[in-house]
Amino acid sequence: MHRLFSLLVVPLLAAATVSTVGSSAAAHPSKPFPARIALPDGFTPEGLTIGDGTTVYVGSVLDGAVWRGDLRTGRGSVLIPGTPGKPKAGLELDRRGRLWTADFYTGGASVYDPRTGARLAHYQFNDGSNTLVNDMVITERAVYLTDSVRPVLYVVPLGPSGRLPAPTAVRVLPLTGPGATPDAFNNGIVALPNGDLLVAQMLTGQLVRVNPRTGGSALFDLGGYSVDRADGLVLRGRTLHVIRNLSNVIAVVRLNGAYTAGVVQREITGPQLRSPATGDLLGSALYVVNGRFDVESTPSTDYDIVRVPA
């Protein structure tokens, strides 16, 4: 997340319906999901992830608060209260349902119970100087986190059945090749089916493939298309959504079978996109959070989640 970026606004979409049983349900069709969900004023969001059912979590890059809401009703409240100087960028849920947060300029990551908000673990990667722990991807064996000002990935290995490791188990994976380009601002990250990791470079406008064992990297071929201001990445199958914050564009990319190149099929734009940061998929819809990085955040600045067709 984490999280100075631009997004695209989305047309109002007919939403997914809820399974119903019986004639009375047929007589009262489900209400469409809201196309826009308001977040608390002044929240300054960056990371977003969708959990069980229609539950959504959004983190604040201002003070690290985490808001939990329902995409069906549009209602929600703060699950984890904010603490000044403790911002959160990317959010992700692991396979055991635990909520992970990239703790931005404090140089670490935290793990929470998504029901109670209780912190389960914390991992510190550095001393908190010259660091922006920005986004993450969780695989079966490890959690990988980007640092937007250091040419490294942070790795938290997971034990059998996803067991959380000791704080000392974390390691730093130095990047080589284009992944280590100075001032590239490595940001969003996803895991490709072939075992590589794909990282967005916000300032070079490139995507790079990273070997998670060696840190070696290579450019991902987009046929000359620039993903300038690339922030969040969302992957399903061979379809990749590149959320370009300050450009207010979401690029929809079709990946090749080797996961080494992709073709941009279309761009999603629109007035509802206001510096979108990150997103996640639910059914046929992509939900993105508007970070509004082009305006000064004040206690009265409005923020929201918007729904776009995936």
Side-chain angles (χ1 to χ4, degrees), residues 178-200:
T181 300
D183 302 320
F185 207 92
N186 292 341
N187 203 334
I189 181 171
V190 292
L192 296 171
N194 66 357
D196 286 343
L197 305 174
L198 189 65
V199 175

Side-chain angles (χ1 to χ4, degrees), residues 142-155:
V143 182
Y144 299 90
L145 301 101
T146 59
D147 190 318
S148 295
V149 297
R150 298 189 185 194
V152 302
L153 294 180
Y154 302 113
V155 185

Side-chain angles (χ1 to χ4, degrees), residues 63-208:
D63 61 7
V66 174
W67 182 89
R68 180 178 61 191
D70 190 318
L71 296 173
R72 185 191 308 278
T73 66
R75 295 190 294 269
S77 61
V78 172
L79 170 69
I80 301 171
T83 301
K86 300 290 185 180
K88 298 188 187 308
L91 305 180
E92 192 76 27
L93 288 149
D94 66 21
R95 299 184 184 189
R96 303 187 92 184
R98 297 171 301 216
L99 180 66
W100 292 69
T101 68
D103 295 344
F104 213 36
Y105 60 68
T106 59
S110 300
V111 189
Y112 296 89
D113 184 315
R115 296 168 296 278
T116 67
R119 193 167 81 166
L120 305 175
H122 177 75
Y123 300 97
Q124 193 66 35
F125 308 125
N126 54 56
D127 62 5
S129 61
N130 190 37
T131 185
L132 286 178
V133 184
N134 206 328
D135 210 343
M136 77 185 79
V137 65
I138 304 176
T139 70
E140 186 175 353
R141 296 185 177 181
V143 182
Y144 299 90
L145 301 101
T146 59
D147 190 318
S148 295
V149 297
R150 298 189 185 194
V152 302
L153 294 180
Y154 302 113
V155 185
V156 183
L158 298 174
S161 302
R163 187 180 67 238
L164 294 175
T168 55
V170 302
R171 64 187 180 95
V172 178
L173 178 66
L175 299 178
T176 59
T181 300
D183 302 320
F185 207 92
N186 292 341
N187 203 334
I189 181 171
V190 292
L192 296 171
N194 66 357
D196 286 343
L197 305 174
L198 189 65
V199 175
Q201 295 187 327
M202 196 180 76
L203 299 185
T204 67
Q206 299 178 148
L207 302 179
V208 294

Side-chain angles (χ1 to χ4, degrees), residues 160-263:
S161 302
R163 187 180 67 238
L164 294 175
T168 55
V170 302
R171 64 187 180 95
V172 178
L173 178 66
L175 299 178
T176 59
T181 300
D183 302 320
F185 207 92
N186 292 341
N187 203 334
I189 181 171
V190 292
L192 296 171
N194 66 357
D196 286 343
L197 305 174
L198 189 65
V199 175
Q201 295 187 327
M202 196 180 76
L203 299 185
T204 67
Q206 299 178 148
L207 302 179
V208 294
R209 294 183 291 114
V210 176
N211 184 311
R213 294 172 297 280
T214 68
S217 65
L219 289 179
F220 185 86
D221 183 7
L222 288 172
Y225 179 85
S226 173
V227 288
D228 177 57
R229 297 295 169 178
D231 195 336
L233 299 180
V234 182
L235 178 66
R236 176 189 284 171
R238 288 168 55 193
T239 299
L240 176 72
H241 292 81
V242 183
I243 301 170
R244 301 171 54 199
N245 51 39
L246 288 178
S247 300
N248 290 317
V249 171
I250 300 171
V252 183
V253 183
R254 182 64 175 175
L255 309 188
N256 67 1
Y259 299 98
T260 58
V263 175

Side-chain angles (χ1 to χ4, degrees), residues 8-72:
L8 11 166
V9 118
V10 186
L12 184 59
L13 181 69
T17 57
V18 183
S19 297
T20 55
V21 179
S23 58
S24 61
H28 302 282
S30 300
K31 181 180 178 180
F33 285 20
R36 175 186 181 273
I37 296 173
L39 295 168
D41 287 350
F43 190 76
T44 319
E46 206 286 337
L48 177 150
T49 190
I50 297 173
D52 290 340
T54 55
T55 303
V56 63
Y57 300 85
V58 178
S60 170
V61 77
L62 175 67
D63 61 7
V66 174
W67 182 89
R68 180 178 61 191
D70 190 318
L71 296 173
R72 185 191 308 278

